[in-house]
Amino acid sequence: RTLFSLIRCAYSNKKIKAIIIGGGQIFQSNGLFPIRLFLIGMVAKFFKIDVICYSIGVSKDITPIDKILIMSLLKRSILIYTRDKFSQEQLFNWGLFSVKLAPDIVFLLNLNKFKLNKKINEANYALIGVPHIGHIKKVKHKIKEDEYFLWWYEKYMELSLSQNVYLFYNTRYDMASSIRFKKWVLKKYNTKIIIKHTQTIDELLSLIQSSSLLVSGRMHSLIFGDIL
């Protein structure tokens, strides 16, 4: 859809100054993703549109063919910023020496105020974050909701043998997913699950900081859990 929208806008009277790819996007060997990047690069070249890659990540496991497709876009980019040092060094090894670093904003948060005394403040509960299935289908295209929720339910039951387990989220899509998962578990297994709702980043970080374990399919949640 993005590619078709780009072509449609380019053919219309709307002037497109640049295509910006980023926001934490990981360049990797993932189905049709490298082909999409290649096609975006071709469209940009045809319509003479600049490409900017901002705050991107680069996987270490990229096939030779996918590397060629991805490089076709990167070579046409007027600016490339990676979100982490590893990705920057990866592109240096590919011969792209003008790549700059723009750390993901999560690394710039002032987390020191949450680092109180973890042993004292740590509670005996685990947190599970169930990402929206649409996020997972980008990687595992054919997964069904029942199959997806069953995996998380088994993880929930495994953890609940030794501690309290709560659902949490850090996006509005995952909040909807948590509510849907909660209803699914109640209907299928008659098991009540508690969702820990948070309204602010401070509340979320305090919740994570006080937990004994965090399981999530979201990068930012895992970073928070690791840092805190």
Side-chain angles (χ1 to χ4, degrees):
R1 290 196 301 267
T2 302
L3 187 59
F4 289 142
S5 297
L6 175 60
I7 295 173
R8 193 162 52 245
C9 289
Y11 268 116
S12 70
N13 293 326
K14 298 178 182 178
K15 183 173 177 57
I16 302 175
K17 294 183 178 180
I19 300 169
I20 301 176
I21 301 173
Q25 177 66 61
I26 300 178
F27 285 21
Q28 58 186 324
S29 291
N30 177 16
L32 298 175
F33 181 70
I35 297 176
R36 292 192 186 104
L37 290 180
F38 172 78
L39 292 176
I40 289 173
M42 292 294 100
V43 172
K45 180 181 180 181
F46 181 81
F47 290 103
K48 298 181 180 179
I49 303 171
D50 290 335
V51 176
I52 297 173
C53 295
Y54 187 82
S55 193
I56 63 170
V58 182
S59 172
K60 65 178 180 179
D61 299 318
I62 296 179
T63 66
I65 293 178
D66 287 343
K67 178 182 175 181
I68 293 172
L69 295 172
I70 293 171
M71 278 291 288
S72 69
L73 174 77
L74 292 175
K75 287 180 178 180
R76 293 188 176 89
S77 302
I78 60 172
L79 291 172
I80 302 175
Y81 287 83
T82 61
R83 69 183 192 184
D84 57 84
K85 191 67 177 177
F86 170 82
S87 296
Q88 183 185 39
E89 293 175 352
Q90 180 90 319
L91 294 185
F92 283 166
N93 293 332
W94 289 7
L96 300 172
F97 301 111
S98 61
V99 177
K100 298 180 181 179
L101 186 64
D104 193 293
I105 193 171
V106 71
F107 295 112
L108 304 180
L109 290 173
N110 181 13
L111 299 176
N112 290 328
K113 64 178 180 178
F114 296 98
K115 292 184 177 180
L116 305 174
N117 187 325
K118 189 153 179 78
K119 290 185 179 179
I120 293 177
N121 289 278
E122 186 175 279
N124 186 33
Y125 68 79
L127 294 172
I128 287 183
V130 182
H132 192 278
I133 192 170
H135 172 69
I136 304 302
K137 281 187 174 181
K138 293 178 181 178
V139 180
K140 196 172 182 180
H141 307 286
K142 296 182 180 180
I143 191 170
K144 303 295 184 182
E145 185 178 71
D146 282 349
E147 176 189 359
Y148 179 60
F149 281 167
L150 178 59
W151 188 93
W152 283 107
Y153 176 70
E154 290 175 346
K155 179 61 64 176
Y156 171 87
M157 293 303 296
E158 177 187 340
L159 295 176
S160 64
L161 293 175
S162 57
Q163 59 198 314
N164 293 322
V165 183
Y166 306 117
L167 297 184
F168 83 109
Y169 53 84
N170 67 313
T171 74
R172 62 189 179 94
Y173 296 108
D174 291 357
M175 178 181 70
S177 179
S178 297
I179 294 172
R180 189 170 178 84
F181 175 67
K182 177 182 177 179
K183 292 179 179 179
W184 182 87
V185 171
L186 181 61
K187 180 179 180 180
K188 201 168 185 69
Y189 300 102
N190 197 30
T191 301
K192 294 182 178 180
I193 294 179
I194 297 174
I195 301 175
K196 288 289 187 179
H197 294 283
T198 53
Q199 301 297 323
T200 66
I201 188 66
D202 285 3
E203 290 179 7
L204 174 62
L205 295 180
S206 294
L207 177 70
I208 294 174
Q209 195 271 340
S210 297
S211 67
S212 59
L213 178 67
L214 182 148
V215 180
S216 175
R218 289 287 187 184
M219 179 194 71
H220 286 151
S221 296
L222 296 176
I223 293 174
F224 286 145
D226 181 60
I227 293 176
L228 295 172

PDB file of all heavy atoms in Angstrom, residues 116-142:
ATOM      1  N   LEU A 116      16.158   3.056  42.144  1.00  0.00           N
ATOM      2  CA  LEU A 116      16.210   3.266  43.581  1.00  0.00           C
ATOM      3  C   LEU A 116      17.023   2.128  44.196  1.00  0.00           C
ATOM      4  O   LEU A 116      18.226   2.078  44.075  1.00  0.00           O
ATOM      5  CB  LEU A 116      14.781   3.314  44.123  1.00  0.00           C
ATOM      6  CG  LEU A 116      13.879   4.362  43.421  1.00  0.00           C
ATOM      7  CD1 LEU A 116      12.442   4.232  43.926  1.00  0.00           C
ATOM      8  CD2 LEU A 116      14.417   5.755  43.642  1.00  0.00           C
ATOM      9  N   ASN A 117      16.363   1.220  44.829  1.00  0.00           N
ATOM     10  CA  ASN A 117      17.037   0.024  45.322  1.00  0.00           C
ATOM     11  C   ASN A 117      16.230  -1.151  44.819  1.00  0.00           C
ATOM     12  O   ASN A 117      15.199  -1.489  45.375  1.00  0.00           O
ATOM     13  CB  ASN A 117      17.107   0.025  46.857  1.00  0.00           C
ATOM     14  CG  ASN A 117      17.956  -1.128  47.384  1.00  0.00           C
ATOM     15  OD1 ASN A 117      17.968  -2.214  46.805  1.00  0.00           O
ATOM     16  ND2 ASN A 117      18.659  -0.883  48.464  1.00  0.00           N
ATOM     17  N   LYS A 118      16.683  -1.746  43.745  1.00  0.00           N
ATOM     18  CA  LYS A 118      15.862  -2.753  43.065  1.00  0.00           C
ATOM     19  C   LYS A 118      15.515  -3.918  43.971  1.00  0.00           C
ATOM     20  O   LYS A 118      14.425  -4.445  43.933  1.00  0.00           O
ATOM     21  CB  LYS A 118      16.554  -3.246  41.804  1.00  0.00           C
ATOM     22  CG  LYS A 118      15.645  -4.132  40.942  1.00  0.00           C
ATOM     23  CD  LYS A 118      16.037  -4.078  39.522  1.00  0.00           C
ATOM     24  CE  LYS A 118      15.169  -4.970  38.668  1.00  0.00           C
ATOM     25  NZ  LYS A 118      13.868  -4.405  38.365  1.00  0.00           N
ATOM     26  N   LYS A 119      16.435  -4.326  44.842  1.00  0.00           N
ATOM     27  CA  LYS A 119      16.167  -5.462  45.712  1.00  0.00           C
ATOM     28  C   LYS A 119      15.066  -5.141  46.712  1.00  0.00           C
ATOM     29  O   LYS A 119      14.254  -5.983  47.056  1.00  0.00           O
ATOM     30  CB  LYS A 119      17.448  -5.853  46.444  1.00  0.00           C
ATOM     31  CG  LYS A 119      18.504  -6.471  45.529  1.00  0.00           C
ATOM     32  CD  LYS A 119      19.702  -6.947  46.315  1.00  0.00           C
ATOM     33  CE  LYS A 119      20.736  -7.592  45.383  1.00  0.00           C
ATOM     34  NZ  LYS A 119      21.928  -8.047  46.136  1.00  0.00           N
ATOM     35  N   ILE A 120      15.019  -3.884  47.183  1.00  0.00           N
ATOM     36  CA  ILE A 120      14.002  -3.488  48.150  1.00  0.00           C
ATOM     37  C   ILE A 120      12.654  -3.297  47.469  1.00  0.00           C
ATOM     38  O   ILE A 120      11.615  -3.719  47.957  1.00  0.00           O
ATOM     39  CB  ILE A 120      14.423  -2.191  48.873  1.00  0.00           C
ATOM     40  CG1 ILE A 120      15.654  -2.460  49.740  1.00  0.00           C
ATOM     41  CG2 ILE A 120      13.276  -1.651  49.730  1.00  0.00           C
ATOM     42  CD1 ILE A 120      16.187  -1.226  50.427  1.00  0.00           C
ATOM     43  N   ASN A 121      12.661  -2.644  46.298  1.00  0.00           N
ATOM     44  CA  ASN A 121      11.422  -2.288  45.630  1.00  0.00           C
ATOM     45  C   ASN A 121      10.883  -3.390  44.729  1.00  0.00           C
ATOM     46  O   ASN A 121       9.773  -3.277  44.235  1.00  0.00           O
ATOM     47  CB  ASN A 121      11.639  -1.016  44.795  1.00  0.00           C
ATOM     48  CG  ASN A 121      11.795   0.206  45.685  1.00  0.00           C
ATOM     49  OD1 ASN A 121      10.826   0.785  46.148  1.00  0.00           O
ATOM     50  ND2 ASN A 121      13.030   0.583  45.942  1.00  0.00           N
ATOM     51  N   GLU A 122      11.673  -4.393  44.472  1.00  0.00           N
ATOM     52  CA  GLU A 122      11.234  -5.434  43.560  1.00  0.00           C
ATOM     53  C   GLU A 122      10.083  -6.235  44.147  1.00  0.00           C
ATOM     54  O   GLU A 122      10.153  -6.710  45.275  1.00  0.00           O
ATOM     55  CB  GLU A 122      12.406  -6.356  43.242  1.00  0.00           C
ATOM     56  CG  GLU A 122      12.104  -7.391  42.184  1.00  0.00           C
ATOM     57  CD  GLU A 122      13.335  -8.198  41.818  1.00  0.00           C
ATOM     58  OE1 GLU A 122      14.147  -7.708  41.031  1.00  0.00           O
ATOM     59  OE2 GLU A 122      13.466  -9.307  42.365  1.00  0.00           O
ATOM     60  N   ALA A 123       9.007  -6.361  43.429  1.00  0.00           N
ATOM     61  CA  ALA A 123       7.851  -7.128  43.872  1.00  0.00           C
ATOM     62  C   ALA A 123       7.870  -8.501  43.226  1.00  0.00           C
ATOM     63  O   ALA A 123       8.554  -8.734  42.240  1.00  0.00           O
ATOM     64  CB  ALA A 123       6.569  -6.378  43.503  1.00  0.00           C
ATOM     65  N   ASN A 124       7.098  -9.408  43.815  1.00  0.00           N
ATOM     66  CA  ASN A 124       7.068 -10.769  43.279  1.00  0.00           C
ATOM     67  C   ASN A 124       5.979 -10.882  42.226  1.00  0.00           C
ATOM     68  O   ASN A 124       4.982 -11.570  42.405  1.00  0.00           O
ATOM     69  CB  ASN A 124       6.837 -11.778  44.406  1.00  0.00           C
ATOM     70  CG  ASN A 124       6.943 -13.202  43.902  1.00  0.00           C
ATOM     71  OD1 ASN A 124       7.722 -13.487  43.001  1.00  0.00           O
ATOM     72  ND2 ASN A 124       6.150 -14.092  44.469  1.00  0.00           N
ATOM     73  N   TYR A 125       6.163 -10.162  41.129  1.00  0.00           N
ATOM     74  CA  TYR A 125       5.243 -10.301  40.016  1.00  0.00           C
ATOM     75  C   TYR A 125       5.997 -10.193  38.700  1.00  0.00           C
ATOM     76  O   TYR A 125       7.033  -9.533  38.599  1.00  0.00           O
ATOM     77  CB  TYR A 125       4.097  -9.289  40.081  1.00  0.00           C
ATOM     78  CG  TYR A 125       4.473  -7.846  39.879  1.00  0.00           C
ATOM     79  CD1 TYR A 125       4.700  -7.315  38.603  1.00  0.00           C
ATOM     80  CD2 TYR A 125       4.564  -6.986  40.975  1.00  0.00           C
ATOM     81  CE1 TYR A 125       5.021  -5.980  38.420  1.00  0.00           C
ATOM     82  CE2 TYR A 125       4.881  -5.647  40.799  1.00  0.00           C
ATOM     83  CZ  TYR A 125       5.099  -5.149  39.531  1.00  0.00           C
ATOM     84  OH  TYR A 125       5.414  -3.825  39.356  1.00  0.00           O
ATOM     85  N   ALA A 126       5.446 -10.865  37.707  1.00  0.00           N
ATOM     86  CA  ALA A 126       6.010 -10.809  36.360  1.00  0.00           C
ATOM     87  C   ALA A 126       5.049 -10.038  35.458  1.00  0.00           C
ATOM     88  O   ALA A 126       3.849  -9.998  35.702  1.00  0.00           O
ATOM     89  CB  ALA A 126       6.222 -12.222  35.816  1.00  0.00           C
ATOM     90  N   LEU A 127       5.604  -9.437  34.425  1.00  0.00           N
ATOM     91  CA  LEU A 127       4.812  -8.695  33.463  1.00  0.00           C
ATOM     92  C   LEU A 127       4.894  -9.368  32.091  1.00  0.00           C
ATOM     93  O   LEU A 127       5.973  -9.782  31.676  1.00  0.00           O
ATOM     94  CB  LEU A 127       5.317  -7.256  33.336  1.00  0.00           C
ATOM     95  CG  LEU A 127       5.165  -6.366  34.568  1.00  0.00           C
ATOM     96  CD1 LEU A 127       5.894  -5.044  34.340  1.00  0.00           C
ATOM     97  CD2 LEU A 127       3.691  -6.124  34.886  1.00  0.00           C
ATOM     98  N   ILE A 128       3.761  -9.477  31.440  1.00  0.00           N
ATOM     99  CA  ILE A 128       3.715 -10.028  30.081  1.00  0.00           C
ATOM    100  C   ILE A 128       3.091  -8.991  29.156  1.00  0.00           C
ATOM    101  O   ILE A 128       2.002  -8.478  29.427  1.00  0.00           O
ATOM    102  CB  ILE A 128       2.902 -11.335  30.019  1.00  0.00           C
ATOM    103  CG1 ILE A 128       3.681 -12.480  30.665  1.00  0.00           C
ATOM    104  CG2 ILE A 128       2.570 -11.695  28.583  1.00  0.00           C
ATOM    105  CD1 ILE A 128       2.986 -13.829  30.576  1.00  0.00           C
ATOM    106  N   GLY A 129       3.790  -8.685  28.090  1.00  0.00           N
ATOM    107  CA  GLY A 129       3.272  -7.758  27.080  1.00  0.00           C
ATOM    108  C   GLY A 129       2.924  -8.515  25.813  1.00  0.00           C
ATOM    109  O   GLY A 129       3.809  -9.103  25.182  1.00  0.00           O
ATOM    110  N   VAL A 130       1.659  -8.527  25.450  1.00  0.00           N
ATOM    111  CA  VAL A 130       1.188  -9.256  24.272  1.00  0.00           C
ATOM    112  C   VAL A 130       1.053  -8.268  23.111  1.00  0.00           C
ATOM    113  O   VAL A 130       0.077  -7.512  23.056  1.00  0.00           O
ATOM    114  CB  VAL A 130      -0.170  -9.948  24.534  1.00  0.00           C
ATOM    115  CG1 VAL A 130      -0.608 -10.738  23.307  1.00  0.00           C
ATOM    116  CG2 VAL A 130      -0.069 -10.860  25.756  1.00  0.00           C
ATOM    117  N   PRO A 131       2.002  -8.236  22.194  1.00  0.00           N
ATOM    118  CA  PRO A 131       1.911  -7.290  21.075  1.00  0.00           C
ATOM    119  C   PRO A 131       0.694  -7.563  20.204  1.00  0.00           C
ATOM    120  O   PRO A 131       0.206  -8.694  20.129  1.00  0.00           O
ATOM    121  CB  PRO A 131       3.208  -7.542  20.286  1.00  0.00           C
ATOM    122  CG  PRO A 131       4.116  -8.238  21.243  1.00  0.00           C
ATOM    123  CD  PRO A 131       3.226  -9.044  22.132  1.00  0.00           C
ATOM    124  N   HIS A 132       0.221  -6.530  19.563  1.00  0.00           N
ATOM    125  CA  HIS A 132      -0.889  -6.693  18.628  1.00  0.00           C
ATOM    126  C   HIS A 132      -0.490  -7.695  17.545  1.00  0.00           C
ATOM    127  O   HIS A 132       0.636  -7.677  17.048  1.00  0.00           O
ATOM    128  CB  HIS A 132      -1.233  -5.341  17.995  1.00  0.00           C
ATOM    129  CG  HIS A 132      -2.518  -5.348  17.242  1.00  0.00           C
ATOM    130  ND1 HIS A 132      -2.616  -5.814  15.948  1.00  0.00           N
ATOM    131  CD2 HIS A 132      -3.774  -4.958  17.592  1.00  0.00           C
ATOM    132  CE1 HIS A 132      -3.862  -5.704  15.525  1.00  0.00           C
ATOM    133  NE2 HIS A 132      -4.586  -5.186  16.499  1.00  0.00           N
ATOM    134  N   ILE A 133      -1.404  -8.588  17.186  1.00  0.00           N
ATOM    135  CA  ILE A 133      -1.085  -9.643  16.230  1.00  0.00           C
ATOM    136  C   ILE A 133      -0.675  -9.079  14.867  1.00  0.00           C
ATOM    137  O   ILE A 133       0.098  -9.703  14.130  1.00  0.00           O
ATOM    138  CB  ILE A 133      -2.269 -10.627  16.080  1.00  0.00           C
ATOM    139  CG1 ILE A 133      -1.816 -11.887  15.321  1.00  0.00           C
ATOM    140  CG2 ILE A 133      -3.458  -9.942  15.402  1.00  0.00           C
ATOM    141  CD1 ILE A 133      -2.836 -13.001  15.339  1.00  0.00           C
ATOM    142  N   GLY A 134      -1.149  -7.892  14.542  1.00  0.00           N
ATOM    143  CA  GLY A 134      -0.745  -7.267  13.282  1.00  0.00           C
ATOM    144  C   GLY A 134       0.753  -7.012  13.241  1.00  0.00           C
ATOM    145  O   GLY A 134       1.376  -7.090  12.177  1.00  0.00           O
ATOM    146  N   HIS A 135       1.339  -6.717  14.395  1.00  0.00           N
ATOM    147  CA  HIS A 135       2.782  -6.518  14.494  1.00  0.00           C
ATOM    148  C   HIS A 135       3.521  -7.823  14.224  1.00  0.00           C
ATOM    149  O   HIS A 135       4.553  -7.846  13.546  1.00  0.00           O
ATOM    150  CB  HIS A 135       3.114  -5.988  15.900  1.00  0.00           C
ATOM    151  CG  HIS A 135       4.565  -5.910  16.224  1.00  0.00           C
ATOM    152  ND1 HIS A 135       5.420  -4.997  15.612  1.00  0.00           N
ATOM    153  CD2 HIS A 135       5.334  -6.626  17.074  1.00  0.00           C
ATOM    154  CE1 HIS A 135       6.640  -5.156  16.094  1.00  0.00           C
ATOM    155  NE2 HIS A 135       6.618  -6.142  16.971  1.00  0.00           N
ATOM    156  N   ILE A 136       2.996  -8.929  14.734  1.00  0.00           N
ATOM    157  CA  ILE A 136       3.623 -10.236  14.567  1.00  0.00           C
ATOM    158  C   ILE A 136       3.471 -10.748  13.140  1.00  0.00           C
ATOM    159  O   ILE A 136       4.375 -11.389  12.597  1.00  0.00           O
ATOM    160  CB  ILE A 136       3.016 -11.252  15.554  1.00  0.00           C
ATOM    161  CG1 ILE A 136       3.143 -10.742  16.985  1.00  0.00           C
ATOM    162  CG2 ILE A 136       3.683 -12.617  15.400  1.00  0.00           C
ATOM    163  CD1 ILE A 136       4.566 -10.445  17.427  1.00  0.00           C
ATOM    164  N   LYS A 137       2.356 -10.447  12.506  1.00  0.00           N
ATOM    165  CA  LYS A 137       2.110 -10.939  11.146  1.00  0.00           C
ATOM    166  C   LYS A 137       3.068 -10.339  10.126  1.00  0.00           C
ATOM    167  O   LYS A 137       3.174 -10.849   9.012  1.00  0.00           O
ATOM    168  CB  LYS A 137       0.658 -10.659  10.743  1.00  0.00           C
ATOM    169  CG  LYS A 137      -0.331 -11.650  11.341  1.00  0.00           C
ATOM    170  CD  LYS A 137      -1.723 -11.444  10.777  1.00  0.00           C
ATOM    171  CE  LYS A 137      -2.672 -12.531  11.260  1.00  0.00           C
ATOM    172  NZ  LYS A 137      -4.037 -12.362  10.710  1.00  0.00           N
ATOM    173  N   LYS A 138       3.752  -9.264  10.498  1.00  0.00           N
ATOM    174  CA  LYS A 138       4.757  -8.702   9.602  1.00  0.00           C
ATOM    175  C   LYS A 138       5.915  -9.684   9.425  1.00  0.00           C
ATOM    176  O   LYS A 138       6.644  -9.642   8.437  1.00  0.00           O
ATOM    177  CB  LYS A 138       5.278  -7.381  10.155  1.00  0.00           C
ATOM    178  CG  LYS A 138       4.240  -6.274  10.172  1.00  0.00           C
ATOM    179  CD  LYS A 138       4.814  -5.002  10.782  1.00  0.00           C
ATOM    180  CE  LYS A 138       3.775  -3.900  10.834  1.00  0.00           C
ATOM    181  NZ  LYS A 138       4.306  -2.666  11.469  1.00  0.00           N
ATOM    182  N   VAL A 139       6.099 -10.553  10.419  1.00  0.00           N
ATOM    183  CA  VAL A 139       7.170 -11.549  10.379  1.00  0.00           C
ATOM    184  C   VAL A 139       6.625 -12.945  10.110  1.00  0.00           C
ATOM    185  O   VAL A 139       7.125 -13.666   9.266  1.00  0.00           O
ATOM    186  CB  VAL A 139       7.961 -11.539  11.711  1.00  0.00           C
ATOM    187  CG1 VAL A 139       9.076 -12.579  11.681  1.00  0.00           C
ATOM    188  CG2 VAL A 139       8.524 -10.148  11.995  1.00  0.00           C
ATOM    189  N   LYS A 140       5.585 -13.295  10.858  1.00  0.00           N
ATOM    190  CA  LYS A 140       4.979 -14.627  10.718  1.00  0.00           C
ATOM    191  C   LYS A 140       3.592 -14.451  10.117  1.00  0.00           C
ATOM    192  O   LYS A 140       2.584 -14.344  10.825  1.00  0.00           O
ATOM    193  CB  LYS A 140       4.894 -15.320  12.089  1.00  0.00           C
ATOM    194  CG  LYS A 140       4.648 -16.813  12.013  1.00  0.00           C
ATOM    195  CD  LYS A 140       4.781 -17.458  13.384  1.00  0.00           C
ATOM    196  CE  LYS A 140       4.582 -18.966  13.288  1.00  0.00           C
ATOM    197  NZ  LYS A 140       4.701 -19.615  14.617  1.00  0.00           N
ATOM    198  N   HIS A 141       3.527 -14.433   8.789  1.00  0.00           N
ATOM    199  CA  HIS A 141       2.353 -13.959   8.081  1.00  0.00           C
ATOM    200  C   HIS A 141       1.104 -14.803   8.305  1.00  0.00           C
ATOM    201  O   HIS A 141      -0.002 -14.271   8.319  1.00  0.00           O
ATOM    202  CB  HIS A 141       2.650 -13.875   6.583  1.00  0.00           C
ATOM    203  CG  HIS A 141       3.878 -13.070   6.264  1.00  0.00           C
ATOM    204  ND1 HIS A 141       3.894 -11.703   6.356  1.00  0.00           N
ATOM    205  CD2 HIS A 141       5.132 -13.437   5.879  1.00  0.00           C
ATOM    206  CE1 HIS A 141       5.096 -11.250   6.037  1.00  0.00           C
ATOM    207  NE2 HIS A 141       5.868 -12.280   5.741  1.00  0.00           N
ATOM    208  N   LYS A 142       1.251 -16.107   8.453  1.00  0.00           N
ATOM    209  CA  LYS A 142       0.093 -16.992   8.458  1.00  0.00           C
ATOM    210  C   LYS A 142      -0.390 -17.361   9.855  1.00  0.00           C
ATOM    211  O   LYS A 142      -1.265 -18.218   9.994  1.00  0.00           O
ATOM    212  CB  LYS A 142       0.418 -18.271   7.681  1.00  0.00           C
ATOM    213  CG  LYS A 142       0.691 -18.034   6.197  1.00  0.00           C
ATOM    214  CD  LYS A 142       0.956 -19.332   5.465  1.00  0.00           C
ATOM    215  CE  LYS A 142       1.217 -19.093   3.987  1.00  0.00           C
ATOM    216  NZ  LYS A 142       1.474 -20.363   3.248  1.00  0.00           N
TER     217      LYS A 142
END
